[in-house]
Amino acid sequence: MSKVFSALSVSVDGYITGRDPAPGRGLGDGGMLFDWYFDGDVPSRVFDGFRLSEPSARFFDDAAGRVGASVAGRNTYEDSDRFGDDGTPHPAAPLFVVSHRPAPRMTGDRQRLITTGLADAVAAAREAAGDKDVALMGGVLVTEALKAGLVDELILHQVPVLLGAGRPYFHGLPEHVRLRLLEAVPAPGVTHLRYEVVR
């Protein structure tokens, strides 16, 4: 069965954006969270234009190659300028957007709005992904998925910076979530950490 995972760049103090993320402003003042995408000489096999260090390329392409569908929260969708109205955060995978608010009309078949909740969005993404995995995007969405027991793995691309403010990767949880470290890969400008959610 396919897995559900999240793979986000995060500061050492736990933020996935800087201050004032917004449409047209992306991550606010937290753009350095993605510098490692472009600080090497190894082209990504999955994402055109990414040139990573050798250890980052191995780790990143392995994770990106697993993705058969993505699920994003509404804030992530809007802050990313709706991925160009019919684009997606992954070059080969459809996007499912979870929102209880009205959304702009989505054109084409690469984006789908789900208004009936996160569990339905994950189920639809699993069906679309086939034997590949589902990637979750957005701190609130990942936290809600953890609460619902929907997450199998967490990947933190931990960047050595303290942002001091922004949107956190994780929000309040009603109980502890135990993790088991599966992999740790140090690389220039980032440390890649992959955890299994222990149930």
Side-chain angles (χ1 to χ4, degrees):
M1 179 182 243
S2 66
K3 291 185 176 179
V4 176
F5 75 100
S6 175
L8 299 177
S9 287
V10 59
S11 66
V12 171
D13 53 347
Y15 293 104
I16 57 174
T17 75
R19 293 166 182 82
D20 302 318
R25 288 185 41 82
L27 298 176
D29 68 353
M32 74 283 297
L33 291 176
F34 292 124
D35 286 352
W36 61 274
Y37 284 0
F38 309 103
D39 70 354
D41 55 8
V42 179
S44 170
R45 297 185 321 272
V46 181
F47 280 76
D48 288 341
F50 286 20
R51 297 188 68 81
L52 307 105
S53 68
E54 191 275 331
S56 284
R58 275 187 291 110
F59 187 96
F60 176 82
D61 282 347
D62 180 62
R66 296 169 50 185
V67 177
S70 299
V71 179
R74 181 65 182 273
N75 285 338
T76 299
Y77 179 69
E78 295 293 350
D79 289 350
S80 302
D81 292 319
R82 301 189 301 272
F83 300 102
D85 292 319
D86 191 36
T88 73
H90 190 281
L95 172 66
F96 295 81
V97 179
V98 182
S99 180
H100 299 294
R101 296 179 279 143
R105 186 171 65 86
M106 296 177 176
T107 58
D109 59 0
R110 291 181 46 85
Q111 295 182 359
R112 183 170 159 203
L113 179 67
I114 304 291
T115 60
T116 54
L118 177 58
D120 287 346
V122 170
R126 275 188 189 274
E127 184 176 346
D131 60 355
K132 290 201 165 191
D133 294 339
V134 172
L136 304 178
M137 299 178 64
V140 171
L141 183 131
V142 170
T143 301
E144 292 304 309
L146 284 165
K147 289 179 185 177
L150 297 172
V151 183
D152 299 301
E153 289 183 12
L154 294 169
I155 294 173
L156 284 70
H157 303 295
Q158 191 175 66
V159 176
V161 64
L162 299 171
L163 292 179
R167 290 198 180 125
Y169 197 149
F170 305 104
H171 296 256
L173 291 162
E175 58 189 22
H176 295 163
V177 175
R178 298 206 177 272
L179 306 174
R180 182 169 69 89
L181 182 64
L182 299 176
E183 193 174 5
V185 178
V190 64
T191 300
H192 307 285
L193 303 166
R194 185 166 68 98
Y195 294 96
E196 176 184 34
V197 176
V198 177
R199 294 194 174 89

